[in-house]
Amino acid sequence: MENEFEKLSENVNDIKSLIKTFNNTLDHIEKRLARLEKVDSIEHRVAVNQIDLSDIKESLERIESKQGSDIHHLNRRLDTHLVKIAKVEEEILMLKSK
């Protein structure tokens, strides 16, 4: 009888251990999902920004055909700065998530 109680006690401890491991796994999964949600948000903003940037770029290209190389130079600089802004935004979001 005493042996059965010991086995039962061991089984209860094993179950507790499994539940604890399961909870840790769930916590890990939740953290990964939260990061994925942030990535989705970043991707959405990038997509929206790309649309906005495309509109701006098309407008500048139309003006450029009329006004020449000064606008072309501004267009290239705008592209460069917008890429830098996007990289900084992404780095800020990554730092906030840490």
Side-chain angles (χ1 to χ4, degrees):
M1 183 84 157
E2 185 177 318
N3 194 15
E4 289 178 8
F5 282 124
E6 286 180 26
K7 285 183 181 179
L8 185 60
S9 177
E10 287 176 16
N11 288 340
V12 168
N13 288 335
D14 288 344
I15 291 172
K16 285 181 181 179
S17 176
L18 287 172
I19 290 172
K20 188 174 183 178
T21 302
F22 182 70
N23 283 335
N24 289 337
T25 303
L26 282 178
D27 288 340
H28 180 70
I29 290 170
E30 286 175 350
K31 287 177 184 175
R32 290 188 70 189
L33 286 174
R35 281 189 279 158
L36 287 175
E37 288 172 358
K38 288 179 184 176
V39 169
D40 286 343
S41 176
I42 292 170
E43 288 174 353
H44 173 71
R45 278 191 263 164
V46 168
V48 170
N49 286 341
Q50 284 176 342
I51 292 168
D52 293 342
L53 294 177
S54 297
D55 292 343
I56 293 169
K57 188 173 181 177
E58 287 173 12
S59 297
L60 284 174
E61 286 172 349
R62 275 187 255 123
I63 294 169
E64 180 184 67
S65 66
K66 296 178 184 176
Q67 301 225 346
S69 66
D70 290 338
I71 300 297
H72 180 68
H73 179 70
L74 289 174
N75 190 15
R76 284 191 317 218
R77 287 184 63 197
L78 177 63
D79 284 345
T80 302
H81 287 291
L82 292 173
V83 168
K84 287 179 183 178
I85 289 169
K87 286 180 182 178
V88 170
E89 284 178 347
E90 184 177 345
E91 288 176 12
I92 289 170
L93 289 171
M94 293 299 179
L95 288 174
K96 284 182 180 179
S97 68
K98 288 185 179 181

